[in-house]
Amino acid sequence: MSWSKTFVELDKHVHDRASFDCGEAELNTFIQTQASKHMQAGISRTMVLPASLPLLNQKWPICAFYSVAPSSIRRETLPVSLAKKLPNYPIPVFLLAQLAVHREYHGHGLGKVSLIRALKYLWEVNAHMRAYAIVVDCLTPAAEAFYTKYGFQVLCEHNGRTRMFIPMKTVGQLFS
């Protein structure tokens, strides 16, 4: 099965959330039960990459997705060289809250495609609502290795996970 060309906003009436399985229970649960609720509450936005053909139930399978939200970090969690240039109050950031690829599409480059699309989306939002960086909390060492490959740096431990970040000026170099 192949995927469509563009990410679209999750619509629980159109997209088949129940069949999504990336191999990580926490991410599966998020897309299946929480993503729509978070969007309705106005706390995040989830974008999905649907398959190119619908299922028999006329819903579109989800090949990959990402979810983003506004957030902030404490200045003291940043490396000293960066922190000394910033004000002494919470620093606005974008949180790349979730990113996952359906098992069927592992090894096809959709992780990279999803990450680049999420970064581009947040770069466009940054033109209207500034943030210092994009942060992500890694579920696994494999996720940490993935984000490191694309320029994310370790920021700190947060809720038992490695929190990584990439400054918006670095993201801007990719899309400017």
Side-chain angles (χ1 to χ4, degrees):
M1 189 181 301
S2 62
W3 52 86
S4 65
K5 293 183 184 315
T6 58
F7 279 82
V8 295
E9 188 170 83
L10 173 66
D11 182 336
K12 68 181 182 180
H13 302 295
V14 173
H15 301 111
D16 183 43
R17 300 168 297 150
S19 67
F20 186 85
D21 180 11
C22 68
E24 288 289 338
E26 189 172 326
L27 294 170
N28 293 341
T29 298
F30 176 80
I31 193 69
Q32 293 166 359
T33 66
Q34 298 168 335
S36 287
K37 291 175 186 174
H38 287 191
M39 287 176 39
Q40 288 173 344
I43 59 174
S44 68
R45 185 168 193 208
T46 298
M47 303 297 289
V48 300
L49 183 64
S52 57
L53 296 172
L55 298 169
L56 294 176
N57 67 6
Q58 296 306 306
K59 287 192 172 187
W60 298 84
I62 297 170
C63 302
F65 77 90
Y66 65 86
S67 183
V68 295
S71 191
S72 66
I73 55 174
R74 294 187 335 266
R75 177 182 155 183
E76 50 273 7
T77 63
L78 290 166
V80 174
S81 61
L82 298 175
K84 67 182 181 181
K85 300 174 187 175
L86 297 171
N88 201 12
Y89 51 79
I91 307 301
V93 296
F94 295 121
L95 176 64
L96 178 51
Q98 315 287 335
L99 187 147
V101 175
H102 192 290
R103 281 182 188 223
E104 188 175 328
Y105 303 99
H106 286 187
H108 290 94
L110 280 186
K112 178 181 179 180
V113 167
S114 300
L115 177 60
I116 290 171
R117 184 60 193 108
L119 294 176
K120 185 175 184 186
Y121 173 77
L122 290 171
W123 177 247
E124 291 167 0
V125 171
N126 192 58
H128 306 284
M129 177 57 69
R130 296 286 183 186
Y132 176 72
I134 299 170
V135 299
V136 62
D137 296 330
C138 299
L139 284 177
T140 64
E144 188 175 338
F146 171 79
Y147 289 108
T148 298
K149 187 166 62 171
Y150 295 104
F152 282 74
Q153 303 166 44
V154 172
L155 182 60
C156 61
E157 289 298 314
H158 181 75
N159 294 331
R161 296 188 177 146
T162 301
R163 176 166 272 189
M164 302 184 79
F165 81 108
I166 187 168
M168 287 308 291
K169 69 180 186 176
T170 303
V171 174
Q173 294 168 356
L174 300 171
F175 301 113
S176 297

